[in-house]
Amino acid sequence: MARRKSNAPPKATRQPSKQPSSGAERSALYARREAAKILHTVLRGDAERRAVASIKSLVFSPSVRNKRGTFALVCETLKHLDVIKDVLEIANVLNSKWKRQEPLVYIICYDILFGKETPSIGDAEKFLVRRKDALLSGLATLLVRKKVKNVEELLDLSQLNGHIKPRYVRVNTLKMDVDSAVKELEKLYKVEKDETVPDLLVMPPGSDLHAHPLVMNGRIFLQGKGSSMVAAALQPEAGWEVIDACSAPGNKTVHLAALLKGQGKIIACELNEERVKRLEQTIKLSGATNIEVFHGDFLSLNPEDPSFAKVRAILLDPSCSGSGTITDRLDHLLPSHSADNKNYDSIRLHKLAVFQKKALAHALSFPQVERVVYSTCSIHQIENEDVVSSVLPLASSLGFELATPFPNWQRRGLPVFAGSEHLLRMDPVEDKEGFFIALFTKTTNKLDNPKPYELPEGECRRRRKQFYPFLWPKVFFRAWNGRLHGSRR
């Protein structure tokens, strides 16, 4: 019997034709890739407990196109990261290929599980969308295991509450005067001049200036109050040579350039290659022409080198825990800030403090330097008062003493040693961020006026051994030994 011919079209023609992707879909695809790169950077830095740029700094770098979308995607993915990891483990849908691209998988899983729209283009997106049912089933299983009703109960959002702070804007006086900036910005928001830093403006919380022409052309910088106080505390004089020991991303560096009125010279040190690029971008944006970038370790500089004979001031803002600005930096979203990592954090703080002591001792050892500022965005005593206290014998032997930056500022150092009242602290609650500043100034009559914090000879021997590998040359230690105990050989 002859087979009847079907009038139906061939099977292939029944399938819907592939629709070209829209501009919005392509933009979302690109934002997910940009977000994955940033997520990879911050997660790797967090896992290795080393300093990287903040999430905001990475997102708002010139190379990121869709800044608003990328920023939101990174933050939301980090907020949900523990949930996403648990769901992926339960669903067990990843093969070896996609396990090697975990940051991108996390970003896409956030969109699939919690986003407003399901991704439709991209190989990784298609792979995970086909397994959407398994992911949703894994999420349901997780809720049952944790004995909660919804995802919100799995998330700890408490750290985001109550942290409303003004928007601070520093005027780049190399390109614009303060009054002109105020006049321009008042077209959008209420603007006040800061009472502490002369070129700093205060605007309402939530003022969005990231795309403002004055930001884009480097006439103003979005810079917090604590960060802006650091260079101002150093008070370099026009024509001085200054070292910025740990420069990137460069906001403090270009602030120094403005305070120097474009005169003199700044040697900006940065070890990390990627952060050097960011530093150079900031310098170019500022219009500063008196900054020389040194791609290397500040600790490798020889204070006795004639190249540094004219250096009069050093700004040292070394790597720190960032505990005073974790909400600004969004570090509280990272895995290392979970309750399970408190012991590891204490180990990390100790390692940071060891480096900070070395760097501060090194800064004080440059013979012609008259002023040194040590600053952190940390709230921890081990990174602040303890670091300063540990170098006071050395500082005293080299003619330095603690001075008082911003004398009208009320909050001072913790009373853990004589002289701590000279130190400056910002409080995370009262000032909306935690910052610490110590100012060392060189005096000419130091030997005739010993300070009460000088130590017994036995303790001095111990500290000489501590600092010995990091100072140039050995004659510093001979001088230290002699001066502390009355000898002027």
Side-chain angles (χ1 to χ4, degrees):
M1 185 169 62
R3 287 164 51 177
R4 289 170 65 182
K5 291 185 178 180
S6 172
N7 292 325
K11 185 176 182 180
T13 62
R14 291 184 189 173
Q15 297 180 355
S17 59
K18 184 178 180 181
Q19 297 294 323
S21 58
S22 67
E25 288 174 327
R26 289 193 297 272
S27 177
L29 174 73
Y30 196 79
R32 286 191 291 271
R33 267 55 187 178
E34 289 186 319
K37 289 180 182 178
I38 292 168
L39 190 62
H40 172 73
T41 299
V42 297
L43 289 179
R44 184 177 62 182
D46 188 57
E48 297 174 358
R49 299 304 194 274
R50 60 180 175 80
V52 297
S54 70
I55 297 169
K56 283 186 177 179
S57 296
L58 291 168
V59 169
F60 290 104
S61 68
S63 61
V64 177
R65 298 180 188 176
N66 184 358
K67 292 178 171 54
R68 189 182 296 273
T70 302
F71 182 67
L73 197 49
V74 172
C75 292
E76 291 301 318
T77 301
L78 281 170
K79 271 193 240 177
H80 292 78
L81 187 58
D82 287 341
V83 176
I84 292 170
K85 287 182 176 180
D86 287 342
V87 168
L88 286 169
E89 183 178 354
I90 294 170
N92 193 27
V93 296
L94 296 184
N95 56 32
S96 58
K97 174 183 177 181
W98 298 115
K99 284 181 179 179
R100 292 193 295 270
Q101 300 185 48
E102 283 186 333
L104 178 58
V105 169
Y106 297 151
I107 294 287
I108 298 169
C109 280
Y110 167 77
D111 265 348
I112 291 174
L113 294 171
F114 312 110
K116 295 180 180 179
E117 297 181 4
T118 301
S120 57
I121 60 172
D123 291 343
E125 286 82 350
K126 291 176 181 177
F127 174 85
L128 290 165
V129 166
R130 288 196 297 268
R131 291 154 179 82
K132 182 177 180 179
D133 289 343
L135 293 172
L136 292 173
S137 176
L139 178 58
T141 301
L142 180 63
L143 294 176
V144 173
R145 286 183 183 177
K146 299 291 185 179
K147 298 180 181 180
V148 295
K149 297 178 181 179
N150 51 53
V151 174
E152 285 69 25
E153 294 183 21
L154 290 173
L155 304 175
D156 180 14
L157 301 179
S158 60
Q159 296 181 74
L160 293 177
N161 296 331
H163 189 85
I164 300 175
K165 61 181 292 186
R167 162 65 71 192
Y168 288 100
V169 172
R170 184 180 61 78
V171 181
N172 178 15
T173 53
L174 292 173
K175 288 188 172 184
M176 191 178 206
D177 64 85
V178 174
D179 290 336
S180 297
V182 171
K183 184 177 180 180
E184 188 66 26
L185 293 171
E186 278 182 333
K187 296 176 182 178
L188 294 174
Y189 302 105
K190 178 183 176 182
V191 182
E192 297 178 355
K193 295 181 180 179
D194 184 69
E195 296 178 352
T196 308
V197 183
D199 49 4
L200 193 65
L201 304 179
V202 189
M203 302 173 69
S207 302
D208 188 0
L209 296 170
H210 289 96
H212 194 283
L214 294 184
V215 174
M216 302 302 288
N217 62 27
R219 292 177 184 268
I220 63 174
F221 280 82
L222 305 181
Q223 187 171 353
K225 179 165 182 169
S227 175
S228 300
M229 290 172 72
V230 174
L234 189 64
Q235 292 183 313
E237 297 180 13
W240 276 16
E241 289 194 11
V242 180
I243 292 177
D244 188 352
C246 305
S247 295
N251 287 345
K252 298 181 187 71
T253 313
V254 298
H255 192 186
L256 285 172
L259 293 172
L260 288 170
K261 301 180 175 12
Q263 304 173 31
K265 183 172 77 170
I266 299 168
I267 302 170
C269 305
E270 179 54 50
L271 181 60
N272 182 276
E273 184 174 357
E274 288 301 314
R275 288 170 64 82
V276 165
K277 294 177 183 177
R278 180 69 194 281
L279 172 62
E280 290 172 340
Q281 290 171 347
T282 303
I283 294 171
K284 182 178 179 181
L285 183 64
S286 75
T289 58
N290 61 336
I291 300 175
E292 176 185 303
V293 175
F294 170 67
H295 180 193
D297 190 351
F298 167 65
L299 292 174
S300 71
L301 302 183
N302 181 353
E304 293 296 297
D305 190 319
S307 304
F308 308 119
K310 296 181 180 180
V311 173
R312 306 282 293 279
I314 294 179
L315 189 156
L316 174 62
D317 186 68
S319 298
C320 72
S321 64
S323 52
T325 57
I326 59 171
T327 308
D328 278 350
R329 288 176 50 89
L330 304 173
D331 288 353
H332 60 289
L333 300 177
L334 297 174
S336 66
H337 286 263
S338 67
D340 297 333
N341 282 282
K342 298 303 181 185
N343 184 54
Y344 199 103
D345 280 349
S346 66
I347 297 173
R348 178 182 179 234
L349 285 174
H350 174 74
K351 290 181 178 179
L352 284 168
V354 169
F355 166 72
Q356 291 155 355
K357 292 174 185 178
K358 294 176 186 176
L360 181 52
H362 193 60
L364 293 167
S365 68
F366 284 72
Q368 302 306 315
V369 165
E370 300 175 22
R371 300 174 71 85
V372 174
V373 158
Y374 171 75
S375 65
T376 74
C377 54
S378 170
I379 62 173
H380 299 299
Q381 178 183 327
I382 189 175
E383 297 183 273
N384 296 332
E385 287 85 0
D386 289 356
V387 169
V388 172
S389 176
S390 72
V391 302
L392 282 178
L394 173 64
S396 179
S397 73
L398 297 173
F400 285 97
E401 65 181 11
L402 287 172
T404 308
F406 304 105
N408 294 330
W409 189 263
Q410 293 184 346
R411 277 171 282 284
R412 292 292 160 181
L414 301 178
V416 292
F417 65 86
S420 64
E421 68 275 7
H422 295 292
L423 308 175
L424 183 148
R425 268 185 174 266
M426 295 182 72
D427 183 79
V429 176
E430 297 294 329
D431 307 309
K432 306 303 181 186
E433 63 179 332
F435 239 89
F436 175 87
I437 299 175
L439 170 62
F440 294 84
T441 58
K442 186 169 284 186
T443 59
T444 56
N445 60 347
K446 169 66 193 69
L447 296 179
D448 299 323
N449 296 281
K451 292 296 176 183
Y453 45 66
E454 290 184 349
L455 302 176
E457 184 173 0
E459 178 67 2
C460 287
R461 280 199 300 269
R462 186 186 71 79
R463 291 185 183 238
R464 283 200 300 275
K465 291 179 181 178
Q466 177 183 353
F467 291 123
Y468 181 86
F470 312 110
L471 298 179
W472 298 78
K474 294 181 181 179
V475 68
F476 276 110
F477 300 97
R478 301 190 189 104
W480 185 10
N481 185 32
R483 289 178 180 177
L484 278 181
H485 301 290
S487 172
R488 300 206 183 173
R489 289 174 295 179

